[in-house]
Amino acid sequence: MWNNSAVVKVPVLKLKEYPSEEAETVDEVLYGMEVLVRERTIKGWASVETSYGYRGCVRTEGLEAHEWNVRRWQKLSKYVVVSPSADVFEVPGYKNPYLFSLPRGSLVAASDQEGQAGWNQVRLSDGRGAYMRKGQLRPAAALHCPAEQEEKLRESLVRTALTYLYTPYRWGGKTPWGIDCSGLCSMVYLLHGIAINRDAKIKKGYPVKEIPVCRVKPGDLLYFPGHMALYIGGLNYIHSTGRTGQDGVVINSLNHMAEDYREDLASTITAAGSIF
C-alpha cells in the first residue's frame, strides 16, 4: 500500500537520477530515513524527495510504505547509528548471528522494552524488535546543539568529520563504506541535526550562508568548482577526493609551504560558507 511517506528499510538505498540501475547515483538514503513518494514511475521504481530536499528515483523494494507502519514509525523516538557500522541482532549476544549491518547515520526506533546490559532493544522500520549495542547508538534528539554553544558545535563538527578519515571515495556515497565530497560535509552536519545542501554549492533555503574566505573558522565549509570541504583549522581542511594517489577522505592544507598543500584547490576557492 503506497502513501505519501515511506521509510527506507534497507541499509543503503541508492537514489538514482532516473529510474534505471544504469543511471547515475546522486545520493544514498540510509536505513530509517523518511522520504516523500512523489509518484510511481516504471514498475519497481518511485520518484521520491528526501527530508533534506533531494530528489531522485529509488527501487520500491527498498521502501516500507504501508501506511500503518509509516505512521507508527513517525511517532517513535529514534536512535542514530554513530559508529562506522553497527550490527542488528535478533537476540542480544556477540556470538549470535546478526541480521544485517547499518552504516553511520542510519536510524532505528527506540523501544519501551529494557535491553540487557550493554544492549538497546530497538524497533525496525517493519515493526520487528531487535537488539543493537548501546555504544553504537545515540538518541537522535541529542544531536541538536543549541545555537549559543557555537564553539562546542564547531569542535564537534570537526571531530565527527575526522571519524571519516580514509573512507574510500564513492560518487554519490555518504557512508563509511564510501563517500563523496558533499556526502561527507552533509553527513557531518546531519549527524548534528542540521540539514545542509547535498550538492557542493551554497543554495538558498538551507542554513549555510556565504562568508568571506578570510573569516573561515573550524566547522565552516569551503567551496571549489564542483567540490567542497570542511575547514578544521590551522589552514587545514578535510574532504573526500577521487584524485589518484589519495582516493578518499584526506586532510589537505591551504598553506603553500605544507607538504599536503594542493595548489589546484587552494587557487580555485569560489566561496566559504557558515551556519553561524
Side-chain angles (χ1 to χ4, degrees):
M1 180 177 180
W2 288 93
N3 190 29
N4 285 335
S5 295
V7 180
V8 176
K9 66 177 183 180
V10 293
V12 178
L13 184 61
K14 294 180 181 179
L15 190 68
K16 294 287 188 175
E17 186 176 16
Y18 54 88
S20 169
E21 291 291 352
E22 304 303 317
E24 177 184 318
T25 299
V26 296
D27 190 20
E28 293 177 335
V29 196
L30 309 184
Y31 188 96
M33 291 184 172
E34 290 185 49
V35 296
L36 174 66
V37 179
R38 300 173 63 226
E39 64 174 330
R40 294 291 295 271
T41 55
I42 63 175
K43 184 178 180 180
W45 289 86
S47 173
V48 303
E49 181 176 339
T50 68
S51 61
Y52 43 91
Y54 221 64
R55 293 183 178 184
C57 295
V58 300
R59 294 297 300 264
T60 55
E61 62 192 23
L63 296 176
E64 173 57 60
H66 192 284
E67 184 176 0
W68 190 86
N69 284 340
V70 173
R71 287 184 177 179
R72 177 184 56 192
W73 182 260
Q74 292 171 336
K75 294 177 181 178
L76 296 172
S77 57
K78 307 296 192 302
Y79 288 118
V80 62
V81 175
V82 292
S83 59
S85 183
D87 295 335
V88 179
F89 294 81
E90 186 175 6
V91 178
Y94 296 112
K95 294 183 180 180
N96 293 320
Y98 63 92
L99 299 172
F100 50 88
S101 296
L102 297 177
R104 180 186 289 133
S106 301
L107 297 171
V108 292
S111 171
D112 55 5
Q113 301 292 322
E114 283 291 330
Q116 296 184 12
W119 295 83
N120 276 335
Q121 186 168 7
V122 300
R123 289 287 173 189
L124 304 179
S125 59
D126 60 3
R128 286 182 296 164
Y131 293 85
M132 299 180 70
R133 298 166 191 167
K134 276 189 176 180
Q136 298 176 332
L137 301 173
R138 186 180 304 164
L143 300 180
H144 298 268
C145 184
E148 61 268 20
Q149 298 181 348
E150 177 180 332
E151 291 308 312
K152 181 180 177 181
L153 178 53
R154 286 184 181 277
E155 292 171 4
S156 186
L157 288 167
V158 171
R159 284 197 303 270
T160 299
L162 292 174
T163 65
Y164 284 92
L165 264 177
Y166 312 121
T167 297
Y169 183 86
R170 178 185 292 171
W171 182 270
K174 64 178 188 185
T175 77
W177 304 338
I179 203 163
D180 65 12
C181 66
S182 57
L184 170 65
C185 295
S186 62
M187 276 306 301
V188 168
Y189 273 83
L190 197 60
L191 285 166
H192 291 81
I194 303 164
I196 67 171
N197 186 24
R198 173 66 169 87
D199 288 327
K201 58 185 178 182
I202 298 174
K203 186 176 180 180
K204 187 176 181 180
Y206 290 88
V208 176
K209 302 294 187 290
E210 186 169 356
I211 61 171
V213 176
C214 63
R215 286 176 46 198
V216 71
K217 294 181 180 180
D220 290 336
L221 301 167
L222 296 173
Y223 294 87
F224 314 85
H227 190 62
M228 69 185 298
L230 189 140
Y231 185 71
I232 62 175
L235 294 181
N236 296 318
Y237 57 92
I238 186 170
H239 63 135
S240 185
T241 174
R243 188 188 196 192
T244 302
Q246 293 187 316
D247 191 28
V249 179
V250 296
I251 294 173
N252 283 112
S253 178
L254 297 173
N255 181 357
H256 71 281
M257 300 293 290
E259 184 177 350
D260 55 1
Y261 173 70
R262 276 190 58 174
E263 182 179 7
D264 63 315
L265 292 178
S267 63
T268 58
I269 296 176
T270 58
S274 181
I275 65 166
F276 301 101

